[in-house]
Amino acid sequence: MLRPQPACARVLLDRYAACGEHDAAQVYARVAVALAQAETPARRASAAKAFLLNMQRGAIGAGRIMANAGTEARATMVNCFVQPVGGPQASLSFQAGLQQALETLAMGGGVGYDFSALPPLAASPRGRATAPSVREAIDQYDDACARLAFEGSRRGAQMAVLSCAHPDILDFVQAKHGRRRWRTFNISVAVSDAFLAAVQRDESWPLVHHAPPGKTALDAGAFQRTDGLWQYRQDSARHLWDAIAREAVHSAEPGLLFIDTIARTNNLRALETIRATNPCGEQPLPDYGCCVLGPINLTRLVEHPFGLGGPATVNFGTLASMVSTQVRMLDNVLELTHWPLAAQQAQAMATRRIGVGVTGLADMLAMLQLRYDSDAGRQAASKVARCIRDSAYAASAALARERGPFPLYRPADYLSDGGVGDAIAAEVRDAVRRHGLRNSHLVSYAPTGSVSLAFADNCSSGIEPAFGWTYRRRVMLRAATVDVPIENHAWRQWNLLSPRMPLPAYFRTADQIAPEDHVAMVGVLQPFVDAAISKTVPVPSDCSVDRAQALFMTAFRLGLKGITLFRPDPGLAAVLGKATGVANGPAPPSACEGCA
């Protein structure tokens, strides 16, 4: 039995324990009873027992659930939101959009926005009369969010997305270069298939917007397109592509969202338009869309870890059972949470998005004696992902039989050619055909840094490889930010079960894995994830722009929905540090902590 790590206990007590709670068992008991209240009175006791057992086995809620369920705090249990930015092309004013964002952030939600509707800097005064430019708008959102954190609210996490066709795209891409700017934001460029094709053909790329350009731009030959967009100028697609890759290597931002891939693979593509994601990228969402998350600790499912006492295997029967209970618990959250905005509640009730996720994937592979960067490791990971997806859809169909399908459910969206019904197991497809689905989307792989630290003995976070085996981690507590020593869970297990034995070669840290193998892992998992995957791709300090561009194109061809690079740099803030103090390794963008 492993002894609890002091750092894990400290995070649990600071972030997730309610008044009078002292350990994870008490947190689990509170959350289980609270989430069972969505059941009929006759089923509440049995549901609470099932939820408690599931958490004890390693299926927990995301951070907002564990911190807020069953407490008197008027805070949301939903981590992920996307909201519109008000302006000339929107149904609300810019200030109204900003106020809505603050209401969501103040209740603990992380929010993503598409700023593409805002006018460019070159627009005429008439074109900018009712809204600031993109840069000015993000400044205002960032300042307002920072003030919320100063006033004592949970630190806000935001995502700014801009279309690759917006006239200010170059300014946006370079905004963080060498500057401590937009600290509450991650930033991503929404790149289209057409843009990537223009890059490959070395063509010019039109930069367009609804707002009429100013006199200078008109003199330079701007014209209005037939779809109502004004073309401000044309730029070389490869020039923009080079700038994006250069900044991604230098500053770890922007990330890329493959926006047409997101649209093509959305279960509700016929009913909604998606232009942005939550701050960490694992949830592409429409305006006012949201999702409730809950990861499963995969290390708990390995039988005979490291092949000691028998072949190391995954208990897929237990995994399927855990996923089924997790779907029910997350569906209950939607009924019980506080909603910052009525529009969010309406959207959630119409689609009932949930996201069953994972943590400890890399530790699981080590315990199975598999390298993260091997074909065998990827095959094992994809087998687990397939089980999670099929079990989640089966559980949602069973819930639909009991509670009814989500209001926007249409069989053709799931069962016609090209729908998810083509991929799921035949018996699951038959259940969906008979009963429909309770939830429009069911699987989402998020970063899980804080909950993995608090509830899973610091197992490898989400689908990320372990950062290191022993290191120091910068932890944000209510009173202060502290650096604490921490050890990886699989490494601790190995030393407990095989004391004084050398560490096997299948233990691989993130910086020992080639960037191409990081991308390849996401590529084999994405087909089984109907939302998206949050994953940072570490690159070496000497990574070239050409290599970054090749990684981007590989990610696109593999069907990823997004990608973010990270290059270690002493000049960039990192939340993790090697125990030796010699070097900092790859760390996720700062705002992703808001998803944990």
Side-chain angles (χ1 to χ4, degrees):
M1 178 70 69
L2 290 171
R3 288 184 177 183
Q5 299 189 65
C8 296
R10 189 170 184 177
V11 171
L12 186 148
L13 293 175
D14 184 84
R15 292 195 176 188
Y16 304 112
C19 182
E21 294 174 348
H22 305 290
D23 57 27
Q26 292 173 314
V27 176
Y28 295 158
R30 163 176 53 83
V31 174
V33 170
L35 298 184
Q37 300 311 300
E39 306 284 342
T40 62
R43 293 196 59 164
R44 286 174 187 166
S46 61
K49 184 177 179 180
F51 297 160
L52 177 59
L53 176 61
N54 221 35
M55 284 185 273
Q56 291 169 340
R57 293 157 88 185
I60 58 175
R64 297 306 85 210
I65 295 172
M66 305 308 287
N68 297 329
T71 71
E72 296 181 358
R74 187 163 180 79
T76 184
M77 288 188 275
V78 181
N79 282 62
C80 307
F81 296 90
V82 162
Q83 292 180 205
V85 175
Q89 306 300 321
S91 59
L92 73 167
S93 70
F94 174 79
Q95 288 302 322
L98 176 57
Q99 181 57 40
Q100 288 184 352
L102 292 179
E103 290 175 25
T104 301
L105 292 164
M107 286 185 66
V111 191
Y113 324 86
D114 174 27
F115 285 91
S116 303
L118 294 181
L121 284 166
S124 66
R126 181 168 63 88
R128 295 180 56 198
T130 57
S133 68
V134 172
R135 183 201 304 169
E136 295 163 342
I138 299 176
D139 284 343
Q140 291 188 45
Y141 273 69
D142 189 49
D143 290 345
C145 181
R147 287 196 300 271
L148 272 182
F150 179 78
E151 292 165 359
S153 298
R154 178 177 178 270
R155 183 170 72 94
Q158 303 186 90
M159 168 72 88
V161 178
L162 196 68
S163 166
C164 60
H166 193 283
D168 288 349
I169 188 61
L170 196 59
D171 180 65
F172 175 80
V173 163
Q174 297 171 340
K176 288 193 174 187
H177 188 101
R179 285 172 270 183
R180 297 171 66 86
R181 186 178 193 180
W182 299 348
R183 299 299 303 279
T184 68
F185 273 95
N186 292 329
I187 67 172
S188 288
V189 176
V191 294
S192 63
D193 291 357
F195 173 73
L196 294 174
V199 169
Q200 293 172 315
R201 293 194 292 260
D202 194 15
E203 296 175 345
S204 61
W205 179 247
L207 300 175
V208 298
H209 200 268
H210 291 280
K215 186 175 186 299
T216 303
L218 286 169
D219 291 344
F223 61 87
Q224 190 171 15
R225 292 152 53 106
T226 56
D227 53 9
L229 294 173
W230 291 86
Q231 178 171 295
Y232 278 67
R233 67 181 188 279
Q234 295 209 11
D235 204 339
S236 160
R238 286 192 181 172
H239 173 251
L240 295 175
W241 185 239
D242 287 345
I244 291 169
R246 190 174 298 109
E247 291 305 317
V249 169
H250 177 273
S251 305
E253 294 185 86
L256 296 187
L257 298 179
F258 299 113
I259 203 68
D260 291 330
T261 301
I262 288 171
R264 277 192 300 272
T265 56
N266 179 15
N267 286 344
L268 299 182
R269 56 191 173 274
L271 300 178
E272 62 186 22
T273 300
I274 292 178
R275 301 184 183 89
T277 73
N278 72 310
C280 303
E282 77 274 5
Q283 273 296 327
L285 296 164
D287 285 350
Y288 298 113
C290 46
C291 184
V292 57
L293 304 174
I296 292 175
N297 180 359
L298 298 177
T299 70
R300 301 287 298 278
L301 293 156
V302 179
E303 298 182 342
H304 307 298
F306 311 113
L308 301 174
T313 57
V314 173
N315 189 325
F316 284 97
T318 299
L319 176 59
S321 173
M322 291 171 69
V323 170
S324 181
T325 302
Q326 191 80 327
V327 167
R328 188 179 194 97
M329 188 184 82
L330 295 178
D331 191 67
N332 284 5
V333 171
L334 295 172
E335 297 297 323
L336 298 168
T337 188
H338 294 297
W339 295 99
L341 304 173
Q344 294 162 346
Q345 182 177 16
Q347 172 65 228
M349 293 302 103
T351 61
R352 305 194 71 86
R353 273 178 165 91
I354 64 171
V356 178
V358 300
T359 193
L361 174 73
D363 280 9
M364 178 200 76
L365 293 176
M367 294 165 75
L368 292 172
Q369 302 173 284
L370 299 172
R371 285 175 52 143
Y372 188 97
D373 54 353
S374 68
D375 286 339
R378 288 189 286 268
Q379 289 170 12
S382 66
K383 187 176 179 181
V384 167
R386 180 187 296 273
C387 177
I388 291 171
R389 182 202 59 192
D390 286 1
S391 301
Y393 273 81
S396 190
L399 266 186
R401 179 180 58 189
E402 176 186 337
R403 299 176 173 178
F406 68 92
L408 292 183
Y409 175 74
R410 305 186 311 176
D413 293 334
Y414 294 85
L415 299 172
S416 61
D417 291 346
V420 71
D422 287 347
I424 56 180
E427 63 273 17
V428 180
R429 183 171 59 250
D430 290 342
V432 174
R433 183 177 291 110
R434 290 194 305 271
H435 308 300
L437 288 165
R438 179 66 173 170
N439 314 94
S440 68
H441 298 71
L442 286 144
V443 186
S444 179
Y445 290 176
T448 59
S450 295
V451 290
S452 296
L453 191 59
F455 299 105
D457 188 48
N458 192 44
C459 68
S460 56
S461 172
I463 71 159
E464 299 285 356
F467 169 74
W469 312 127
T470 63
Y471 54 96
R472 300 191 67 83
R473 177 172 179 141
R474 188 174 305 161
V475 177
M476 296 182 64
L477 304 176
R478 291 187 185 123
T481 299
V482 297
D483 286 331
V484 295
I486 195 71
E487 297 172 346
N488 166 261
H489 172 74
W491 181 85
R492 278 162 53 83
Q493 283 278 25
W494 171 260
N495 285 290
L496 175 71
L497 299 173
S498 304
R500 296 181 295 277
M501 293 290 288
L503 202 63
Y506 51 74
F507 274 83
R508 306 287 286 174
T509 57
D511 57 358
Q512 294 174 322
I513 296 170
E516 292 75 13
D517 286 313
H518 283 273
V519 173
M521 178 60 81
V522 189
V524 300
L525 295 175
Q526 185 61 74
F528 307 106
V529 178
D530 54 17
I533 299 172
S534 178
K535 172 79 175 76
T536 299
V537 177
V539 296
S541 57
D542 61 352
C543 180
S544 67
V545 171
D546 287 345
R547 189 177 188 184
Q549 291 173 337
L551 288 168
F552 286 159
M553 283 297 186
T554 298
F556 171 67
R557 294 186 183 109
L558 287 176
L560 274 63
K561 297 184 181 181
I563 182 173
T564 301
L565 305 184
F566 187 84
R567 178 178 64 88
D569 187 334
L572 294 173
V575 297
L576 306 175
K578 291 290 173 77
T580 61
V582 174
N584 285 327
S590 59
C592 274
E593 187 72 9
C595 295

